[in-house]
Amino acid sequence: MASDSYDVIVIGSGPGGYVCAIRAAQLGMTVACVEKRETLGGTCLNIGCIPSKALLAASEKYEEADKHLDKMGIKVSGLKLDLKGMMAHKDSVVDANTQGIEFLFKKNKVDWLKGTGVITAKDTVEVDGKSYKAKHIIIATGSDVVGLPSIEIDEKKIVSSEGALELSKVPKDMVVIGGGVIGLELGSVWQRLGANVTVVEFADAILPAMDKEIAKETQKVMKRQGLKFKLSTKVTSAKTTAKGVDLTIEGAAGGNEEKMSADVVLVCVGRKAYTESLGLDKVGVKTDDRGRVMTGDGFKTNVDGIYAIGDVIAGPMLAHKAEDEGVVLAEMLAGQTGHIDYNLIPGVVYTWPEVAEVGQTEEALKKEGIKYKVGKFPFMANGRARAMNATDGFVKILADARTDKVLGCHILGADAGTLIAEVAGMMEFGTSSEDIARTCHAHPTLSEVVKEAALAVDGRALHI
Ligand code: FAD
Ligand code: NAI
């Protein structure tokens, strides 16, 4: 039974909000979480990380059966795509996860206040007309799709990531606007299922924020898989027709106009902080020039008692960043201390093979004038990778030239998202490349590629 006064009211039940609510409840606070969706879990569980990974996993298996298993002596005949069945798999994964949060809320005695939360005073949240008092209000309202001027997203022919997770048939031709994380992940899904996918990217490289060498190699590998890329190119118009969508593209700097057509266009040029109808103006919570809630130490906004975490504030828009902020904030409210090293938040792109990074890129180190050594090792030279038929990519470790402290690690390769965890963990403890190189890594595993890259920093890789 919902009370009308709490220690903590969290607005938004994404990975930032729900984790914060559970941790605060574990620490003895009375907690409510306001969520306007029909299900808990926010963007991540409903329309983001989880459904996209369900489709990535399923489409990866389909492509493997279609194109790769024969190389291992497995003949597949009668292979058929059941798109409805694949979507049902995705939906059941989403349901299990969102219901899981509902169970965790009940277990931890977190009240779910269903509806839209509006902050009406520094200690009051109104949910669909009813007021609730709170000692602490936490804004965890996440983010929303960024559109493009004059391109109308109808979620049928011109879709955002949300519509791209729900297509009822495989498009023959698909244009993806934006070669970032969503473009490569969801572009891969539909390419594997049979679409002819062209990625149009404004910058001169895909994944422009990642290590340039890794991004270049990723593009090469994905091109081999069948994706097409138009870099340094922008879409100037996209209009739906009876058949599909007609597009006009031109060079990023203007000129070289070209026409394209597609059955479906996916717009994925970034996400923006979501604070609609939250009442920030009324209580005077400040936002920055990109609409993000401004926070200082301890995730405090400029209004006493109001805090913010996750995609709605500055920093990478990642579920694990939001979660960590949720935990740290709850612990701080309970009088404990906590910290997040924002340099050590790993980033993973769940393509095949995966791309993963932690710490600084070569480009950033050069810009800062930091002298560094590089150790690289290819998956091609690893026994387990050969056994798995997963030899694309490499591990690159960047270490301080003077102290050998690891400053960054960048991986393109099978299971890169899991492999990066070792390096991120060791970097939390200030590892040197020598520490990684002298740590015993089980054989035969892909993790030996990380060890060999660490040995390569000092020019002593063994298996190349
Ligand atoms: P959100 O998850 O956005 O949750 C905010 C919630 O607040 C929403 O449920 C919203 O309905 C609710 N809300 C907003 N305003 C109100 C209000 N006034 N009242 C009540 N409720 C409100 N990140 C990763 O780390 N790994 C991935 O693999 C990954 N894949 C992604 C794939 C896609 C297609 C997308 C779109 C995103 C992906 N992300 C991924 C990013 C990730 O989803 C976000 O970083 C994460 O969800 C942010 O969490 P959050 O708690 O800040 O906000
Ligand atoms: P993104 O920022 O990753 O990529 C957007 C891309 O679009 C960039 O490469 C940018 O240069 C390009 N672009 C911008 N304007 C353009 C234009 N007019 N024409 C062509 N290209 C243009 O954003 P994306 O892919 O939309 O993802 C949004 C957020 O969701 C990301 O910040 C990411 O953190 C999160 N996400 C994370 C995932 C993961 O961790 N695996 C998966 C999916 C999303």
Side-chain angles (χ1 to χ4, degrees), residues 37 131 170 181 184 194 282 339 365 464:
R37 267 180 196 286
S131 284
V170 179
V181 198
L184 296 188
K282 216 186 273 172
H339 99 114
L365 293 174
I464 202 156

Side-chain angles (χ1 to χ4, degrees), residues 48-49 52-53 56 143-149 161 176-186 200-209 230 233-235 267-272 311 315-320 346-351 355:
C49 325
S52 60
K53 266 77 249 179
L56 277 157
S143 62
D144 196 7
V145 170
V146 168
L148 282 171
S161 54
V176 172
I177 311 179
V181 198
I182 294 181
L184 296 188
E185 289 188 359
L186 294 181
V200 179
E201 166 58 52
F202 185 78
D204 61 1
I206 58 166
L207 301 171
K230 285 183 182 290
T233 304
K234 63 183 175 196
V235 174
V267 180
C268 44
V269 294
R271 292 180 65 82
K272 58 178 183 224
D311 277 12
M317 288 182 164
L318 294 171
H320 39 286
V348 180
V349 190
Y350 297 84
T351 43
V355 188

Side-chain angles (χ1 to χ4, degrees), residues 11-18 34-37 39-50 52-53 113 115-118 140-143 161-162 165 182 185-186 271 274-278 309-312 316-322 348 350:
I11 308 176
S13 73
Y18 87 72
V34 192
E35 175 55 61
K36 62 184 174 141
R37 267 180 196 286
T39 47
L40 298 171
T43 304
C44 174
L45 270 59
N46 289 282
I47 52 162
C49 325
I50 297 301
S52 60
K53 266 77 249 179
L113 306 177
T116 301
V118 183
T141 49
S143 62
S161 54
E162 204 169 336
L165 292 166
I182 294 181
E185 289 188 359
L186 294 181
R271 292 180 65 82
Y274 182 81
T275 55
E276 218 172 281
S277 20
L278 195 55
I309 54 171
D311 277 12
V312 79
M317 288 182 164
L318 294 171
H320 39 286
K321 175 257 192 189
V348 180
Y350 297 84

Side-chain angles (χ1 to χ4, degrees), residues 265-314:
V265 171
L266 164 59
V267 180
C268 44
V269 294
R271 292 180 65 82
K272 58 178 183 224
Y274 182 81
T275 55
E276 218 172 281
S277 20
L278 195 55
L280 296 188
D281 287 351
K282 216 186 273 172
V283 280
V285 169
K286 282 193 188 146
T287 53
D288 67 14
D289 55 350
R290 291 167 62 184
R292 300 175 298 194
V293 175
M294 287 168 77
T295 51
D297 280 354
F299 306 102
K300 289 180 183 144
T301 69
N302 59 306
V303 177
D304 218 23
I306 304 183
Y307 308 77
I309 54 171
D311 277 12
V312 79
I313 68 170

